[in-house]
Amino acid sequence: MTHSPETSRQVPSGQVPSGQGTSRQVPSGQGTSGAVTVRPAVFSIDAAVADRGMSVSLELSDKETVAVLGPNGAGKSTLLGLIAGLLRPSSGRADLDGRVLFDAGTHWVPAHQRKIALLAQEPLLFPHLTVLDNVAFGPRSAGASRGDARRAARHWLGEVDALGFAHRRPGQLSGGQAQRIAIARALAAEPDLLLLDEPMAALDITVAPMLRKLLKRVLAGRRAIIVTHDVVDALVLADRLVVLDAGRIVEAGPTRLVLERPQSAFAAGLAGLNQITGTVTGHGLVSEDNMSIAGVVDDAAVPGEPGVAVFRPGAVSVFPEPVHGSPRNTFPATITDLEPHGDQIRIRAGALAADVTLSAAADLAPAPGSIVYFVVKAAAVVIYPAKTVRNDEAGPRP
Amino acid sequence: MHGAGKAPAAITIPLWIWVVAAAGGLFILLPLAAMVTRVNWPQFVPLITSGPSLTALGLSLRTSAVSTVLCIVLGVPLALVLARGQFPGQRLLRSLVLLPLVLPPVVGGIALLYTFGRRGLLGSSLSVLGIQIAFSTTAVVLAQTFVALPFLVLSLEGSLRSAGTRYESAAATLGAGPGTVLRRVTLPLVLPGLASGAVLAFARSLGEFGATLTFAGSLEGVTRTLPLEIYLQRETDPDTAVALSLVLVVIAVAIVGLTFRRTAPKLLNSGGTRDA
């Protein structure tokens, strides 16, 4: 990944933040200023679903794959349903390569005319059709003759290494095989945008890596939005990561940057980092509950502005008594939970976590409820500016 | 994997439940057995192949077949609208469609008479055009369709609901328009439900008595279906009545066996309103 992370996070797009509801501005104007001869190869949505508390704004350039992560109930599936045309927005607009998909109140393109395929958690292969006819379903619906549709189906079955199953019924397939066929079926419809709703969630854990590899191959150079709960999917499959929480995009950016410098607690959790938010000072950060944290302050962080401090649980040492020394941070912590973590023990104290070796844990004899001191060297704490992420920052890479 | 079809052996049913259940089973079986004991076996084949018997049986089969087709033509859209549509008055429509199920068939016959009869709501206009429906074979078909339609609608609507809309959504995102989705996804998926609904409608049509007698009368060869023939023969020729009854029982058993062999719809409890 060679793009500059900072620029992509700060795209000045001139969009109204979608929190304000009915923005009627066309959110796809970038790069086509003035000229109307070139249709913008961009997907954009800026819409709200009032009764589900959803309000999002998102853009995808051609051939870009975006991963959408977020806690349960964040509205990830609602977002896909909205884009696919299975759900009506209460306000807003969406465009796909210059075609209006919906413009609340005036335009509504039904799902079957959008050229947006949706791959769900379950394969949903039509049980009464053979594998070949399942894959041929899209081309047939688009008006291809039976022969042409089957030829196309064979091609796509070949793409997912499933030609051998062509004459089977879906009932004769394993979960992983069925999902492969479902991928071929979605691709055979030649969608302009492919939506994937946790495509590996319903699969056996041993099958998922193979399917991920397959998706990596077929998603290359294809525009797709993949909803997932697995950060590995985001790393392997997506160019960009969007964190959705309570119906809003709370964080967006190149996958690596979001994981290195998470802004939201959810993203910090994904990256496995301890995160403390507060106000930047000369030497560190003052947390919201008035705790001073010393750390390596990023050049971009301005004292007095909101900031984020992160450090790895592995960088934390745990002591029964306070330890003092100038370049160290000491936090009193009440242990809430203990769990094995690789060859170490993860000690949780509220939102913070520390990884200690088994022998250290044995010396400490920690138990939930006991008070200990988390100590982390200032050099292990990275402090960077907090951004009030607006939904319009979820734009495509320039 | 879920162990479908295997009832957990540990559940014990109180003994008295078994006793009452056995009584309930006997209550259904005993009358049938009693009837079978009265069958005049040496004369059985001549009795059921006599002229009037064959005429009535033929008429019953023909009219039931036509009314089943009519039930499919009218019932499939009704079930689709009830299961998939969203419109005001939907619940009311469902109640109304199911009305013939709980209505005494004789009342249905009277209602039909005041609709299609010579002085009925539509009948008076139809008779101007020279079309007489009441007391014709058409009336038999209409009476049967009236009482049988809810069976098909109920069975199909249940299938549509349990099939859900997820396959239809998947088909739509693959580019299939509403017509294609209906033809290639929805109907094939609910075909078993449609088939069992059609069989039940056929069975209900075959047994129709009250509405037919009221609305169509009992003219031999025109409106006198097998149940009417049985009722008529009961006074004068009990042997024929019993023999023909057995024919209907055999057809009914065959239909039930055919329909509930694989999947039992939740409709079974509503099949009791055989006739008034």
Side-chain angles (χ1 to χ4, degrees):
Chain A
M1 285 195 266
T2 54
H3 49 267
S4 154
E6 285 308 314
T7 46
S8 87
R9 291 188 126 194
Q10 292 171 326
V11 171
S13 67
Q15 267 178 268
V16 179
S18 70
Q20 295 183 1
T22 52
S23 162
R24 280 299 176 83
Q25 256 174 292
V26 184
S28 57
Q30 295 159 3
T32 56
S33 50
V36 276
T37 43
V38 184
R39 294 204 314 171
V42 68
F43 164 75
S44 72
I45 181 170
D46 181 3
V49 187
D51 58 353
R52 303 202 188 190
M54 161 161 282
S55 175
V56 289
S57 174
L58 182 67
E59 285 194 24
L60 263 80
S61 65
D62 200 12
K63 301 178 179 179
E64 189 183 25
T65 300
V66 167
V68 177
L69 285 96
N72 286 335
K76 293 169 294 191
S77 294
T78 303
L79 175 65
L80 293 193
L82 195 60
I83 296 170
L86 304 175
L87 196 75
R88 279 180 188 265
S90 50
S91 64
R93 170 181 173 128
D95 295 80
L96 179 55
D97 297 344
R99 289 189 287 136
V100 179
L101 297 179
F102 62 79
D103 191 351
T106 58
H107 268 79
W108 174 259
V109 177
H112 66 275
Q113 289 168 1
R114 291 196 174 186
K115 288 192 81 63
I116 297 177
L118 173 62
L119 184 70
Q121 216 175 88
E122 273 125 54
L124 294 177
L125 297 178
F126 306 127
H128 55 284
L129 298 180
T130 61
V131 163
L132 187 69
D133 284 340
N134 261 284
V135 181
F137 188 89
R140 278 291 273 165
S141 298
S145 72
R146 184 171 304 219
D148 286 347
R150 286 192 170 159
R151 257 187 297 284
R154 282 203 183 82
H155 165 75
W156 288 107
L157 279 175
E159 284 289 301
V160 301
D161 302 319
L163 258 178
F165 304 137
H167 297 292
R168 289 206 200 167
R169 295 264 166 181
Q172 298 168 293
L173 302 173
S174 71
Q177 290 165 349
Q179 195 63 308
R180 258 155 74 197
I181 309 301
I183 291 168
R185 185 176 68 170
L187 294 175
E190 297 187 358
D192 290 339
L193 172 62
L194 181 61
L195 307 176
L196 304 104
D197 192 356
E198 304 207 20
M200 280 162 291
L203 291 183
D204 201 74
I205 196 155
T206 55
V207 186
M210 206 185 67
L211 202 76
R212 190 176 287 127
K213 211 169 113 188
L214 171 70
L215 280 177
K216 169 129 187 97
R217 180 152 54 86
V218 298
L219 290 184
R222 195 176 282 279
R223 179 162 42 198
I225 298 175
I226 177 166
V227 161
T228 176
H229 61 270
D230 192 341
V231 71
V232 178
D233 290 338
L235 276 170
V236 174
L237 302 174
D239 308 307
R240 249 185 332 130
L241 190 156
V242 165
V243 177
L244 201 65
D245 194 5
R248 317 230 159 199
I249 291 172
V250 294
E251 187 160 7
T255 309
R256 204 193 46 162
L257 182 72
V258 170
L259 295 178
E260 273 173 8
R261 298 197 158 188
Q263 294 284 339
S264 64
F266 181 83
L270 280 179
L273 293 172
N274 285 312
Q275 187 202 42
I276 296 172
T277 55
T279 308
V280 179
T281 63
H283 308 288
L285 183 108
V286 175
S287 75
E288 274 140 18
D289 44 6
N290 253 328
M291 204 160 53
S292 283
I293 298 138
V296 182
V297 182
D298 191 283
D299 289 344
V302 180
E305 295 282 304
V308 180
V310 296
F311 51 95
R312 290 183 303 106
V316 180
S317 311
V318 181
F319 294 93
E321 300 293 334
V323 178
H324 293 290
S326 58
R328 291 182 172 188
N329 295 295
T330 302
F331 314 109
T334 307
I335 296 175
T336 50
D337 198 12
L338 295 161
E339 64 195 44
H341 187 77
D343 60 351
Q344 295 186 309
I345 299 286
R346 173 157 289 186
I347 300 175
R348 288 190 187 279
L352 298 181
D355 290 343
V356 298
T357 61
L358 284 170
S359 61
D363 291 344
L364 198 62
S370 57
I371 293 172
V372 291
Y373 293 86
F374 278 18
V375 176
V376 57
K377 283 179 187 159
V381 180
V382 180
I383 291 163
Y384 50 89
K387 293 198 188 90
T388 36
V389 175
R390 299 193 329 223
N391 278 328
D392 57 63
E393 288 182 30
R397 284 181 280 133
Chain B
M1 287 286 106
H2 32 75
K6 274 190 178 180
I11 292 177
T12 45
I13 302 168
L15 187 65
W16 64 271
I17 290 280
W18 283 102
V19 174
V20 179
L26 276 178
F27 179 67
I28 293 167
L29 283 178
L30 210 57
L32 291 178
M35 195 183 73
V36 171
T37 60
R38 288 303 186 88
V39 172
N40 182 350
W41 290 112
Q43 291 295 309
F44 183 71
V45 174
L47 283 175
I48 63 165
T49 52
S50 75
S53 299
L54 282 183
T55 307
L57 180 63
L59 182 68
S60 266
L61 291 176
R62 271 182 286 124
T63 52
S64 298
V66 175
S67 70
T68 303
V69 171
L70 214 56
C71 279
I72 292 172
V73 170
L74 299 174
V76 171
L78 260 176
L80 282 167
V81 161
L82 287 175
R84 293 285 189 266
Q86 277 180 327
F87 56 93
Q90 192 170 11
R91 295 178 70 166
L92 186 69
L93 178 65
R94 180 177 298 114
S95 312
L96 291 178
V97 166
L98 299 186
L99 203 57
L101 212 58
V102 291
L103 213 60
V106 63
V107 175
I110 288 176
L112 285 169
L113 205 54
Y114 285 117
T115 309
F116 296 103
R118 196 171 305 179
R119 292 187 197 148
L121 202 61
L122 301 176
S124 48
S125 317
L126 288 172
S127 61
V128 171
L129 300 169
I131 301 169
Q132 296 283 355
I133 290 182
F135 307 106
S136 68
T137 307
T138 310
V140 176
V141 170
L142 289 186
Q144 290 173 344
T145 307
F146 183 79
V147 296
L149 190 58
F151 285 78
L152 188 125
V153 174
L154 213 61
S155 173
L156 187 58
E157 195 200 343
S159 294
L160 282 166
R161 286 188 181 278
S162 58
T165 57
R166 298 181 325 147
Y167 286 104
E168 293 163 9
S169 296
T173 69
L174 293 168
T180 309
V181 173
L182 179 67
R183 189 169 46 84
R184 293 203 62 202
V185 178
T186 311
L187 288 181
L189 280 177
V190 298
L191 204 57
L194 177 61
S196 71
V199 169
L200 282 171
F202 181 79
R204 182 64 188 85
S205 295
L206 206 58
E208 206 332 274
F209 177 83
T212 311
L213 187 62
T214 315
F215 178 43
S218 177
L219 287 153
E220 188 182 344
V222 182
T223 67
R224 190 180 297 162
T225 55
L226 200 53
L228 269 64
E229 176 73 15
I230 291 171
Y231 188 75
L232 218 65
Q233 296 289 350
R234 194 182 57 91
E235 296 286 325
T236 55
D237 186 0
D239 280 359
T240 304
V242 168
L244 289 176
S245 296
L246 191 66
V247 171
L248 273 188
V249 169
V250 169
I251 294 175
V253 167
I255 284 170
V256 169
L258 212 70
T259 313
F260 297 107
R261 192 181 32 174
R262 289 196 312 193
T263 51
K266 304 119 200 160
L267 188 71
L268 209 55
N269 53 355
S270 52
T273 51
R274 192 76 193 162
D275 227 326

